[in-house]
């Protein structure tokens, strides 16, 4: 229990006093007083209670409560002191002894302090000196670091300046230096202590960058101008290398062609062409890359500088736009001059442009992309195709078309080596294949016509061996492998080698076009166009010459026919030559050989010769007007016309043997003899001949025997053929006239009516002709048949047989 301390007021009194003095509205209640007591007991802050009491204007109750609380505490203290009195005494004694010890300790401490102060005084002085030195050293270190930083920045600035003075080659190093300056200024541990230097450096960095951009842009512009000028030479070099590679391949093919002809096939049917393939691959590899003759260093330096300036994407766009503009301006090369004169420059410029672009794409580190290059190439191909189609459609000269086609093909081969698609260009070249050959055919037609017009159709004289080699051996038209003696008279006229040269040139031009720009199966196309020139040009021109006649004499017509025989050998040479140029084995050509393509003109030439010979024979046959059809005696040596014809044929044959081939001579002689046979029959049918007697028939029989003897003599010329068949063929040409004469001289002419005898002995005779001729023979047969009777007492059997024949023939008609 809390002991009541002295001075404590009775609670009832305090409460009464408080209750008596406190107003009814603001006096503290019992709860407030209890709360105050609890706060005092707990040692809490009594400030709120005091402020409240004074705020209420009645501090007395609070004061009374405080006094009462104080008295309670004093009572408690007294009680506590009484309970612990002895402990207090002991504590005081201990405190007094402790005070004595403390005084002793204080003296000792004071002495020690004095001693410490006397000993530490020098140390304190040294410490102060050390701290001052350390502060000075820190300041010096900071100053040195700042100085080194400034020196480094100034050195970088000086280095950048030196690189800038070195030209464009030092721009990148200068930019590296100013980048280092910029990084130091931006990310340094503290600002630069020299504001002037900092401001100067901050102004220098963008100035150097701007200067680098200007200088590299100027260098790039100069490079763009120079690369455009170099592209033309670059394209010419690349196309020239393609042409050289193509020439090497053609030489290799020509070198290995004899091996291809005799190559043996293995079990699988594949020839051993490894050497040829290796040689072709070596020739192709020898072409190399044409891109070694230009320098891309300025371009790459400009790209690197712009990437350093964080302008890489802008530079890529700038480069692509400028290259597009350059390509567009390259298209204008053909605008100022004719395409024939400017096509090489045009193609070379474009080739060089895309060779550069290929190099930039492969080594530019992403400066250009494949879609960008493809877009440029598509635009260029479209322009080239449009230009070629426009100019090809207006060209009228095959050589010009071939010249442009060949260069365009070389361009295609060059660009294909760099991976560019060239199908559209090759399609354009193939599309104009027919037009090129049409122009070439027209030119050849003119040349052939001029050659035919200039030829006098005399046998060609060659005085030197080189003339023989140039005009005969060059076209394989020699009749023997033995070189003749000179001067040599050829069996053909100058038209033959002239036409051969024209056709050979046509083949070579066609192969050149097909191999380098025509596309497809070269040999098949060349063979097709070879057939056209032989049929549409050579054959048609010769046939036109023959059909028009052009005043050709017999000897000239004979020479034309002889030329056609030589041309048959020349056509074989043309086929072989085309196959060789196309790389086709000759054994395949031999298997596919066709008929003689100049057959129509050959037949027309022989027909012309035959017409002229028949006309000449007709001139002599007109002398038959002097035949005595009612002669009293047969002419002893035949009629005069027959002798003239025989003399002419013998003279003709002696000349023709030197010119015409034996098969042609044989066909011509057979046709002439057949014509003579027809004319002999026509002599009997002539309206001027009203009647004839047996003596006239005997004379005609003599004439016919002369012609048969000539035919038999001519049969010996054809020793290479079946002599008996040649002899029979010659005599068969006169069979109609012979059968008619035999019938007129027969004792039983009515046997003509017997089908068996007629088929055997008179199968060439027309019964209508026999009827007319028999009636003429009857009118004059009185005296002839009277010799077989006795004074005409009874009718002659032969006359009776002839009358029967005539009667039956009339009934049949």
């Amino acid at each position: 229990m809390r002991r009541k301390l002295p001075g404590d007021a009775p609670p009832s009194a305090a409460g009464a006093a408080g209750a008596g003095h406190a107003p009814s509205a603001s006096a503290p209640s019992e709860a407030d007083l209890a709360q105050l007591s609890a706060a005092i007991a707990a040692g809490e802050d009594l400030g709120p209670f005091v402020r409240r009491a004074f705020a209420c204007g009645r501090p007395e109750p609070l004061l009374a409560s405080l006094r009462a609380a104080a008295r309670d505490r004093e009572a408690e203290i007294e009680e506590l002191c009484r309970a612990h009195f002895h402990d207090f005494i002991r504590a005081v004694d201990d405190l007094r002894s402790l005070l004595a010890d403390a005084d002793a300790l204080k003296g000792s401490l004071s002495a020690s302090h004095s001693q410490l102060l006397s000993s530490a005084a020098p140390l304190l002085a040294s410490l102060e000196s050390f701290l001052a030195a350390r502060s000075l050293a820190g300041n010096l270190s900071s100053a040195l670091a700042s100085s080194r930083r400034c020196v480094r920045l100034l050195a970088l600035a000086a280095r950048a300046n030196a690189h800038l003075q070195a030209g464009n080659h030092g721009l990148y190093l200068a930019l590296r230096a100013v980048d280092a300056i910029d990084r130091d200024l931006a990310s340094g541990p503290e600002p630069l202590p020299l504001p002037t230097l900092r401001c100067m450096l901050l102004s220098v960095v963008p100035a150097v960058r701007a200067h680098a951009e200007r200088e590299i842009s100027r260098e790039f512009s100069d490079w763009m101008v120079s690369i455009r000028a170099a592209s033309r030479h670059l394209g010419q070099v690349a196309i020239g290398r393609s042409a050289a590679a193509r020439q090497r391949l053609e030489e290799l093919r020509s070198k290995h062609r004899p091996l291809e002809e005799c190559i043996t096939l293995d079990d699988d049917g594949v020839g051993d062409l490894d050497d040829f393939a290796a040689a072709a691959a070596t020739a192709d590899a020898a072409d190399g890359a044409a891109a070694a003759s230009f320098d891309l260093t300025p371009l790459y330096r400009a790209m690197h500088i712009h990437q350093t300036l964080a302008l890489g994407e802008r530079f890529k766009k700038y480069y692509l736009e400028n290259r597009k503009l350059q390509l567009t301006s390259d298209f204008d090369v053909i605008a100022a001059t004719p395409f024939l004169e400017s096509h090489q420059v045009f193609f070379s410029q474009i080739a060089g442009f895309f060779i550069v672009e290929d190099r930039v794409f492969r080594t530019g580190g992403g400066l250009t992309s494949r879609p960008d290059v493809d877009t440029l190439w598509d635009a260029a191909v479209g322009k080239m195709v449009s230009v070629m189609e426009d100019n090809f459609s207006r060209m009228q000269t095959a050589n010009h078309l071939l010249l442009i086609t060949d260069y365009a093909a070389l361009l295609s081969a060059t660009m294909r080596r760099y991976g560019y698609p060239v199908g559209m260009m090759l399609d354009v070249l193939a599309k104009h294949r027919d037009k090129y050959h049409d122009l070439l055919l027209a030119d050849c037609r003119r040349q052939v016509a001029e050659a035919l017009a200039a030829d006098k159709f005399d046998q060609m004289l060659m005085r030197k061996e080189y003339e023989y080699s140039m005009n005969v051996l060059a076209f394989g038209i020699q009749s023997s492998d033995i070189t003749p003696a000179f001067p040599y008279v050829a069996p053909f006229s100058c038209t033959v080698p002239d036409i051969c040269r024209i056709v050979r040139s046509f083949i070579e031009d066609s192969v050149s076009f097909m191999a380098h720009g025509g596309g497809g199966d070269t040999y098949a196309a060349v063979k097709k166009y070879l057939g056209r020139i032989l049929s549409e040009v050579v054959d048609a021109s010769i046939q036109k010459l023959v059909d028009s006649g052009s005043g050709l004499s017999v000897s000239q017509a004979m020479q034309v026919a002889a030329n056609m025989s030589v041309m048959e050998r020349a056509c074989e040479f043309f086929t072989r030559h085309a196959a060789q140029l196309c790389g086709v084995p000759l054994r395949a050509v031999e298997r596919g050989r066709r008929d003689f393509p100049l057959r129509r003109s050959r037949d027309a030439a022989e027909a012309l010769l035959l017409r002229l010979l028949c006309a000449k024979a007709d001139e002599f046959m007109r002398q038959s007007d002097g035949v005595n059809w009612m002669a009293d005696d047969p002419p002893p040596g035949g009629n005069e016309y027959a002798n003239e014809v025989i003399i002419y044929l013998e003279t003709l044959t002696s000349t023709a043997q030197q010119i015409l081939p034996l098969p042609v001579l044989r066909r011509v002689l057979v046709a002439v003899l057949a014509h003579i046979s027809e004319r002999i029959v026509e002599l009997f049918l002539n309206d001027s001949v009203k009647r004839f007697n047996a003596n006239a028939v005997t004379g005609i029989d003599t004439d016919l025997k002369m012609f048969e003897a000539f035919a038999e003599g001519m049969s010996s010329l054809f020793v290479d053929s079946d002599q008996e068949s040649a002899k029979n063929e010659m005599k068969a040409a006169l069979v109609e006239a012979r059968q008619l004469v035999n019938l007129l001289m027969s004792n039983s002419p009515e046997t003509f009516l017997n089908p068996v005898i007629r088929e055997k002995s008179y199968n060439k005779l027309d019964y209508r002709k026999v009827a007319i001729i028999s009636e003429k023979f009857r009118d004059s047969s009185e005296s002839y048949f009277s010799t077989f009777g006795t004074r005409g007492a009874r009718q002659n059997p032969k006359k009776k047989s002839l009358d029967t024949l005539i009667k039956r023939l009339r009934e049949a008609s």
Side-chain angles (χ1 to χ4, degrees), residues 223-381:
W223 178 83
M224 289 288 286
V225 174
S226 64
I227 199 62
R228 184 185 181 191
S231 293
R232 181 180 305 173
H233 174 70
L234 179 63
Q236 291 173 346
V237 171
I239 293 175
R241 290 183 177 179
S242 296
R246 186 177 69 184
Q247 182 65 29
R248 286 195 298 271
L249 288 177
E250 290 177 353
E251 292 174 356
L252 285 173
R253 292 191 184 100
S254 177
K255 178 180 177 181
H256 288 79
R257 190 169 291 123
L259 297 178
E260 294 177 3
E261 293 300 328
C262 59
I263 195 169
T264 58
L265 299 179
D266 57 20
D267 295 336
D268 297 329
V270 180
D272 187 13
L273 293 176
D274 292 341
D275 294 338
F276 178 77
T282 303
D284 184 66
D287 178 48
S293 60
F294 62 95
D295 184 17
L296 296 179
T297 303
L299 172 64
Y300 297 154
R301 182 161 50 241
M303 177 183 175
H304 200 184
I305 295 299
H306 280 84
Q307 288 178 340
T308 304
L309 295 173
L311 302 175
E313 292 301 323
R314 191 180 78 176
F315 178 73
K316 291 179 182 180
K317 295 179 180 179
Y318 179 73
Y319 171 80
L320 186 60
E321 291 174 357
N322 278 270
R323 290 296 279 171
K324 287 180 179 178
L325 292 175
Q326 281 193 347
L327 181 61
T328 302
S329 63
D330 289 341
F331 293 154
D332 298 334
V333 172
I334 59 172
T337 56
F339 186 64
L340 182 64
E341 300 176 8
S342 62
H343 74 279
Q344 292 189 0
V345 175
F346 176 64
F347 288 144
S348 299
Q349 190 75 42
I350 293 179
F353 180 94
F354 284 99
I355 290 173
V356 172
E357 284 304 306
D358 176 75
R359 182 78 174 275
V360 171
F361 170 72
R362 289 187 289 106
T363 62
L367 178 58
T368 59
S369 63
R370 174 54 64 186
D372 294 335
V373 178
D374 290 343
T375 301
L376 292 175
W377 175 247
D378 291 341
V381 169

Side-chain angles (χ1 to χ4, degrees), residues 328-558:
T328 302
S329 63
D330 289 341
F331 293 154
D332 298 334
V333 172
I334 59 172
T337 56
F339 186 64
L340 182 64
E341 300 176 8
S342 62
H343 74 279
Q344 292 189 0
V345 175
F346 176 64
F347 288 144
S348 299
Q349 190 75 42
I350 293 179
F353 180 94
F354 284 99
I355 290 173
V356 172
E357 284 304 306
D358 176 75
R359 182 78 174 275
V360 171
F361 170 72
R362 289 187 289 106
T363 62
L367 178 58
T368 59
S369 63
R370 174 54 64 186
D372 294 335
V373 178
D374 290 343
T375 301
L376 292 175
W377 175 247
D378 291 341
V381 169
K383 181 65 175 179
M384 288 188 291
V385 167
S386 174
V387 170
M388 286 192 296
E389 286 185 341
D390 178 60
N391 286 274
F392 284 171
S393 63
R394 291 184 280 106
M395 282 189 178
Q396 300 300 323
T397 305
N399 289 337
H400 295 169
L401 188 60
L402 177 62
L403 182 65
I404 296 174
T405 298
D406 184 65
Y407 208 79
L410 288 174
L411 169 69
S412 301
T414 302
M415 303 317 297
R416 185 164 46 220
R417 291 176 182 269
Y418 291 92
Y420 293 102
V422 294
M424 290 181 62
M425 293 188 62
L426 295 180
D427 290 342
V428 172
L429 300 183
K431 178 180 177 182
H432 291 82
R433 181 176 65 186
D434 288 338
K435 177 173 182 179
Y436 167 74
H437 284 90
D438 289 340
L439 294 175
L440 200 60
L441 288 171
D443 192 30
C444 292
R445 186 177 292 106
R446 177 185 55 79
Q447 296 177 20
V448 170
E450 291 176 354
L452 291 173
D455 192 7
K456 296 181 180 179
F457 296 103
D458 295 329
Q459 289 180 282
M460 192 173 182
L461 178 63
M462 303 177 195
R463 301 182 182 278
K464 301 293 183 179
E465 185 174 356
Y466 79 90
E467 296 179 355
Y468 180 80
S469 175
M470 181 176 61
N471 294 304
V472 179
L473 297 180
F475 309 110
I477 55 177
Q478 69 273 15
S479 58
S480 173
D481 294 335
I482 301 175
T483 303
F486 297 97
Y488 169 69
V489 179
F492 51 83
S493 65
C494 62
T495 297
V496 172
D498 288 344
I499 292 179
C500 288
R501 273 186 282 272
I502 294 170
V503 176
R504 182 179 63 181
S505 177
F506 174 86
I507 294 172
E508 293 170 353
D509 290 342
S510 179
V511 170
S512 178
F513 184 91
M514 296 302 303
H516 309 320
D521 187 352
T522 301
Y523 177 65
V526 171
K527 186 169 64 174
K528 167 190 169 185
Y529 291 112
L530 173 60
R532 286 189 61 186
I533 188 177
L534 292 177
S535 61
E536 298 178 14
V537 177
V538 179
D539 193 42
S541 298
I542 296 176
Q543 190 172 4
K544 181 179 179 181
L545 172 72
V546 171
D547 292 342
S548 64
S550 300
L552 295 178
S553 63
V554 173
S555 61
Q556 290 176 326
M558 189 181 303

